[in-house]
Amino acid sequence: MSEFSLFKNFDDLDQESKYLAHKAKEAANHAHAPYSKFTVGAALILEDGSVVTGANYENAAYPSGMCAERVALYAASAQHADKRIMKIAVVAKKKGGKELVPASSCGPCRQVMLEFETNQKKPISIVMQTDENTWVIAPSAASLLPFSFTKDNLDIHHKK
Ligand code: THU
């Protein structure tokens, strides 16, 4: 069974997680969130130490928008194909606000994390603030998506 690490204080996080949260906070400043006024930033670190960031980009045609996590994941894949993603941090701010507010990755972002995790065959840790006084490090995307749908479901008939 997976183990979630819970922290009552941001300062209690490990150095790398704090650094990624800091980069994610910077990235949130580049969000385009005029509709929700909820700016999100994500920062991930690759096996070679490179950091790739993303922010949420909304659109007047609402479903065309994209979450910060997926922007970062797709950018990392486009720019650094085949490098393992070690960890991703996600943070949120109200537009114009200074303080972080909780933001737990949405289901579709978890599903996309799982696809990357499955492909690289190594877990991705996820750092997020789940409520005012709680930061969580999840050990993997799989831990956030029990009974998940993966490519194994699609392959099942071919294996028979
Ligand atoms: N959002 C993210 O970027 N990541 C999440 O995990 C949760 C939601 C964005 C999508 C939308 O632009 C705004 O936050 C409000 O839902």
Side-chain angles (χ1 to χ4, degrees):
M1 235 349 235
S2 61
E3 293 256 326
F4 296 110
S5 304
L6 300 183
F7 302 88
K8 289 289 168 204
N9 269 305
F10 177 76
D11 290 337
D12 295 339
L13 290 169
D14 63 280
Q15 224 34 55
E16 183 185 73
S17 298
K18 281 192 274 200
Y19 175 67
L20 286 179
H22 168 74
K23 297 303 274 182
K25 191 175 176 184
E26 280 181 356
N29 293 327
H30 302 294
H32 176 66
Y35 308 106
S36 70
K37 301 189 178 7
F38 191 77
T39 65
V40 185
L44 58 81
I45 188 161
L46 302 170
E47 60 190 338
D48 68 351
S50 345
V51 172
V52 178
T53 61
N56 57 327
Y57 293 94
E58 297 180 353
N59 194 281
Y62 287 7
S64 305
M66 183 52 66
C67 290
E69 296 93 317
R70 276 176 281 169
V71 169
L73 290 161
Y74 294 148
S77 184
Q79 292 158 28
H80 305 268
D82 303 329
K83 275 187 203 146
R84 182 187 163 195
I85 300 167
M86 310 294 292
K87 183 186 276 179
I88 183 167
V90 51
V91 305
K93 289 188 288 183
K94 294 275 166 63
K95 205 170 174 210
K98 276 205 160 133
E99 298 307 314
L100 296 179
V101 296
S104 196
S105 282
C106 74
C109 284
R110 295 178 188 204
Q111 185 70 32
V112 170
M113 288 172 195
L114 183 66
E115 182 89 8
F116 280 90
E117 186 171 281
T118 304
N119 285 344
Q120 70 181 20
K121 298 187 183 71
K122 295 267 173 60
I124 300 171
S125 314
I126 300 114
V127 183
M128 55 195 184
Q129 185 182 2
T130 56
D131 69 41
E132 205 182 333
N133 297 308
T134 315
W135 287 80
V136 172
I137 303 183
S140 61
S143 73
L144 295 174
L145 273 181
F147 308 110
S148 56
F149 187 90
T150 68
K151 63 180 179 184
D152 289 347
N153 295 96
L154 298 175
D155 287 343
I156 210 147
H157 296 297
H158 304 297
K159 282 182 188 153
K160 276 188 181 163

Coordinates of all heavy atoms in Angstrom, one line a residue, residues 32-33 36-41 55-58 65-69 90 103-107 109, ligand 1:
H32 N -3.2 32.2 -17.2 CA -4.2 33.0 -17.9 C -5.5 32.5 -17.3 O -6.0 31.5 -17.8 CB -4.1 32.9 -19.4 CG -5.2 33.6 -20.1 ND1 -5.3 35.0 -20.1 CD2 -6.2 33.1 -20.9 CE1 -6.4 35.3 -20.9 NE2 -6.9 34.2 -21.3
A33 N -6.0 33.2 -16.3 CA -7.2 32.7 -15.6 C -8.2 33.8 -15.3 O -8.6 34.0 -14.2 CB -6.7 32.0 -14.3
S36 N -11.9 32.0 -14.0 CA -12.0 31.4 -12.6 C -11.2 32.3 -11.6 O -11.5 32.2 -10.4 CB -11.3 30.0 -12.5 OG -9.9 30.1 -12.7
K37 N -10.3 33.1 -12.1 CA -9.5 34.0 -11.2 C -8.7 33.1 -10.2 O -8.4 33.5 -9.1 CB -10.3 35.1 -10.5 CG -11.0 36.0 -11.5 CD -11.6 37.2 -10.8 CE -12.2 38.2 -11.8 NZ -12.4 37.9 -13.2
F38 N -8.4 31.9 -10.6 CA -7.7 30.9 -9.8 C -6.5 30.5 -10.5 O -6.6 29.8 -11.6 CB -8.7 29.7 -9.5 CG -8.2 28.7 -8.5 CD1 -8.3 29.0 -7.2 CD2 -7.6 27.5 -8.9 CE1 -7.9 28.1 -6.2 CE2 -7.2 26.6 -7.9 CZ -7.3 26.9 -6.6
T39 N -5.3 31.0 -10.1 CA -4.1 30.8 -10.9 C -3.4 29.6 -10.3 O -3.2 29.5 -9.0 CB -3.2 32.0 -10.9 OG1 -2.8 32.3 -9.6 CG2 -3.9 33.2 -11.5
V40 N -2.9 28.7 -11.1 CA -2.3 27.5 -10.7 C -0.9 27.4 -11.4 O -0.8 27.8 -12.5 CB -3.1 26.2 -11.0 CG1 -2.5 25.0 -10.5 CG2 -4.5 26.4 -10.5
G41 N 0.1 26.9 -10.6 CA 1.4 26.7 -11.2 C 1.8 25.3 -10.9 O 1.5 24.7 -9.8
A55 N 1.5 26.6 -16.2 CA 0.5 27.3 -15.5 C -0.8 27.0 -16.1 O -0.8 26.4 -17.2 CB 0.8 28.8 -15.5
N56 N -2.0 27.4 -15.5 CA -3.2 27.1 -16.2 C -3.5 28.2 -17.2 O -3.3 29.4 -17.0 CB -4.4 26.9 -15.2 CG -4.6 28.1 -14.3 OD1 -3.6 28.8 -13.9 ND2 -5.8 28.3 -13.9
Y57 N -4.0 27.8 -18.3 CA -4.4 28.7 -19.4 C -5.8 28.5 -19.8 O -6.2 27.4 -20.4 CB -3.4 28.4 -20.6 CG -2.0 28.8 -20.3 CD1 -1.1 27.9 -19.8 CD2 -1.7 30.2 -20.3 CE1 0.1 28.3 -19.4 CE2 -0.4 30.5 -19.9 CZ 0.5 29.6 -19.4 OH 1.7 30.0 -19.0
E58 N -6.7 29.4 -19.4 CA -8.1 29.3 -19.7 C -8.4 29.9 -21.0 O -7.6 30.6 -21.7 CB -8.9 30.0 -18.5 CG -8.6 29.3 -17.2 CD -9.3 29.9 -16.0 OE1 -10.0 31.0 -16.2 OE2 -9.3 29.3 -15.0
G65 N -9.5 25.3 -22.2 CA -8.4 25.6 -21.2 C -7.6 24.4 -20.8 O -8.0 23.3 -21.1
M66 N -6.5 24.6 -20.1 CA -5.7 23.5 -19.7 C -5.1 23.8 -18.3 O -4.7 24.9 -18.0 CB -4.5 23.3 -20.7 CG -3.6 22.1 -20.5 SD -4.5 20.5 -20.2 CE -5.2 20.3 -21.8
C67 N -5.0 22.7 -17.5 CA -4.5 22.8 -16.1 C -3.0 23.0 -16.2 O -2.3 22.5 -17.1 CB -4.8 21.6 -15.4 SG -6.6 21.4 -14.9
A68 N -2.5 23.5 -15.1 CA -1.0 23.8 -15.0 C -0.2 22.5 -15.0 O 0.8 22.4 -15.7 CB -0.8 24.4 -13.6
E69 N -0.7 21.4 -14.4 CA 0.0 20.2 -14.3 C 0.3 19.6 -15.7 O 1.3 19.1 -16.1 CB -0.7 19.1 -13.5 CG -0.9 19.5 -12.0 CD -2.2 20.2 -11.7 OE1 -2.5 21.1 -12.5 OE2 -2.8 19.8 -10.7
V90 N 2.4 21.2 -7.3 CA 1.4 22.1 -7.8 C 0.9 23.0 -6.7 O 0.8 22.6 -5.5 CB 0.2 21.3 -8.3 CG1 -0.3 20.2 -7.4 CG2 -1.0 22.1 -8.8
A103 N -4.7 23.4 -3.5 CA -5.2 22.9 -4.8 C -4.7 21.5 -5.0 O -3.5 21.2 -5.0 CB -4.5 23.8 -5.9
S104 N -5.6 20.6 -5.0 CA -5.4 19.2 -5.2 C -5.6 18.9 -6.6 O -6.6 19.3 -7.2 CB -6.4 18.4 -4.3 OG -6.0 17.1 -4.1
S105 N -4.6 18.2 -7.2 CA -4.7 17.9 -8.7 C -6.0 17.3 -9.1 O -6.5 16.4 -8.4 CB -3.6 17.0 -9.1 OG -2.4 17.8 -9.2
C106 N -6.6 17.7 -10.2 CA -7.9 17.2 -10.6 C -7.7 15.8 -11.2 O -6.6 15.4 -11.5 CB -8.5 18.1 -11.6 SG -7.7 18.1 -13.3
G107 N -8.8 15.1 -11.4 CA -8.8 13.8 -11.9 C -8.1 13.6 -13.2 O -7.2 12.7 -13.4
C109 N -5.8 15.4 -14.6 CA -4.3 15.6 -14.4 C -3.7 14.3 -13.8 O -2.6 13.9 -14.2 CB -4.0 16.8 -13.6 SG -4.3 18.4 -14.5
Ligands
THU1 N1 -6.7 23.9 -12.3 C1 -5.4 23.5 -12.5 O1 -4.6 24.1 -13.3 N2 -5.0 22.4 -11.9 C2 -5.7 21.7 -11.0 O2 -5.3 20.6 -10.5 C3 -7.0 22.1 -10.6 C4 -7.6 23.2 -11.5 C5 -7.2 25.1 -13.0 C6 -8.2 24.8 -14.1 C7 -8.9 26.2 -14.2 O3 -8.2 27.0 -15.0 C8 -8.8 26.7 -12.8 O4 -7.8 26.0 -12.1 C9 -10.1 26.6 -12.0 O5 -10.6 25.3 -12.0

